[in-house]
Amino acid sequence: MKRKIYLMMISLLLLSITFCSDNIIEPIQYDPNAMRVAGNYIATTFVVPGSNDGSVDVLANGGMISVILSLDFTVRGRMIMPSHPNLQGEGFDEVFGGSYTIKNDSLQFKNFQNALSHPQIYFIIKLDKLEAYLQAHSPVKIILERIK
């Protein structure tokens, strides 16, 4: 009798081990490109052309860009563009979200309505930095640095 109970307990143990091993979660394999850039970023340079001569340092006038790049190629962040006499339009403070793509050493934001997702803006990927330059009538320069 004891032997039957002992064998039954071993059988249940083996069955439970087999059942549990089928349900082990496989580790997620992330894209190496996403792993290279994922993280929190903040603008350290944000210069836009002014409506008059010269350009405007947006950060020095109370502007800000913060960005979070996730491993699943999603992006979210916040952009503050202050009102300024040399800038056209009203200032704004907006939260955005969408996705990003990487091709070679350039990153582009997609799927949201924001100046950062402009089809002509590409960020060059550098070590812990994303640098964007848009040559319009006057250049736009944005440098996002990863927060450590």
Side-chain angles (χ1 to χ4, degrees), residues 1 4 10 21 27 35 58-59 61-62 67 85 94 113 115 117 125:
M1 181 74 167
K4 283 184 180 182
I10 290 177
S21 67
M35 292 177 69
V58 177
L59 300 179
N61 287 284
V67 174
E94 68 180 30
Q113 297 300 316
S117 67
I125 300 168

Side-chain angles (χ1 to χ4, degrees), residues 6-148:
Y6 179 72
L7 288 174
M8 194 161 58
M9 288 178 65
I10 290 177
S11 297
L12 285 173
L13 178 63
L14 291 174
L15 182 63
S16 66
I17 290 172
T18 303
F19 178 74
C20 290
S21 67
D22 290 341
N23 292 325
I24 293 176
I25 297 173
E26 293 292 323
I28 297 172
Q29 299 295 320
Y30 291 108
D31 186 295
N33 284 320
M35 292 177 69
R36 191 171 95 179
V37 299
N40 299 331
Y41 292 80
I42 192 154
T44 56
T45 302
F46 185 11
V47 178
V48 298
S51 56
N52 301 327
D53 293 333
S55 57
V56 175
D57 183 341
V58 177
L59 300 179
N61 287 284
M64 187 233 4
I65 302 173
S66 64
V67 174
I68 300 170
L69 300 176
S70 297
L71 289 169
D72 63 357
F73 290 96
T74 58
V75 60
R76 65 184 193 275
R78 182 176 179 198
M79 182 176 184
I80 299 173
M81 177 69 86
S83 295
H84 189 276
N86 285 341
L87 295 176
Q88 296 176 355
E90 296 293 318
F92 60 85
D93 180 349
E94 68 180 30
V95 174
F96 59 87
S99 61
Y100 66 93
T101 59
I102 297 175
K103 184 175 181 182
N104 299 324
D105 282 332
S106 66
L107 179 144
Q108 187 175 27
F109 296 124
K110 303 257 185 201
N111 302 326
F112 58 91
Q113 297 300 316
N114 178 294
L116 295 178
S117 67
H118 190 282
Q120 295 174 337
I121 295 182
Y122 286 86
F123 287 84
I124 305 301
I125 300 168
K126 297 191 175 183
L127 182 63
D128 291 328
K129 286 185 186 178
L130 302 173
E131 296 184 8
Y133 303 93
L134 174 63
Q135 190 65 40
H137 300 299
S138 297
V140 173
K141 183 177 182 181
I142 301 170
I143 298 176
L144 301 173
E145 292 195 34
R146 190 184 330 233
I147 301 169
K148 294 184 179 190

